[in-house]
Amino acid sequence: MIANAFKGTERPMSGAPACLIMMVLLTILPGWAGQQKQKPATPAQSEQQENGATDQASAEKDMEVGTFYMHKGDTDAAIPRFQDAIRKQPKLGKPRILLAEAYEKKGDNLNAVKSYQESLRAFPHAPDKKKIEKKIEKLSSR
């Protein structure tokens, strides 16, 4: 009956039965349509994925809070937040730049230069590389 309904040899189904059949087909077909089954993750992989997602979210929150403190002018509160973000997600570039800016705003040129240099070591092809190099040069001459 279903096959014939779609061939057009019988009157097409309509109303609630047709909706129910379409919902079932749409639920079943994505998994049935040749998608490969993924191997279940090992407990260590699952934990690593969960920790990575948690660290990413936590690092983003640290950057958000650190930025809030920067806008308030409280660099002493912002710096540890940016340092935490770097510890949690060492591959992110943004917290390194934010940390350098916090040190620069605080007047700690030595640590600002170190943080800017560290960001360039970690990301040698950064799109704002020239700008960072100019800041390093400017802060180093003070």
Side-chain angles (χ1 to χ4, degrees):
M1 179 174 155
I2 294 173
N4 289 336
F6 290 105
K7 286 183 181 177
T9 57
E10 287 185 16
R11 193 181 90 220
M13 294 175 65
S14 63
C19 289
L20 180 62
I21 290 171
M22 290 305 293
M23 287 175 32
V24 169
L25 288 174
L26 290 173
T27 304
I28 294 171
L29 286 179
W32 177 76
Q35 292 181 354
Q36 295 180 355
K37 293 183 180 178
Q38 294 181 353
K39 295 178 185 177
T42 64
Q45 289 171 330
S46 294
E47 184 178 333
Q48 188 177 25
Q49 289 171 353
E50 288 173 15
N51 288 343
T54 302
D55 285 349
Q56 175 73 28
S58 181
E60 288 175 8
K61 186 67 176 175
D62 282 331
M63 287 187 291
E64 182 182 324
V65 172
T67 302
F68 170 79
Y69 284 130
M70 285 286 288
H71 289 298
K72 279 184 60 176
D74 191 352
T75 56
D76 289 330
I79 289 170
R81 298 311 287 252
F82 298 140
Q83 290 170 333
D84 288 345
I86 292 167
R87 252 190 311 280
K88 292 171 186 171
Q89 287 291 308
K91 293 183 180 180
L92 291 180
K94 187 175 179 180
R96 295 172 192 281
I97 297 298
L98 292 171
L99 178 62
E101 290 172 354
Y103 279 129
E104 185 177 1
K105 189 172 183 178
K106 183 179 178 180
D108 187 347
N109 293 345
L110 181 62
N111 280 319
V113 168
K114 285 181 183 179
S115 295
Y116 281 127
Q117 288 172 336
E118 188 179 307
S119 74
L120 288 179
R121 275 194 297 277
F123 305 98
H125 303 291
D128 53 351
K129 180 179 178 179
K130 296 283 186 200
K131 180 181 170 185
I132 295 169
E133 288 172 338
K134 285 181 183 178
K135 283 191 173 198
I136 292 170
E137 185 178 323
K138 176 183 161 189
L139 292 170
S140 296
S141 65
R142 288 185 182 173

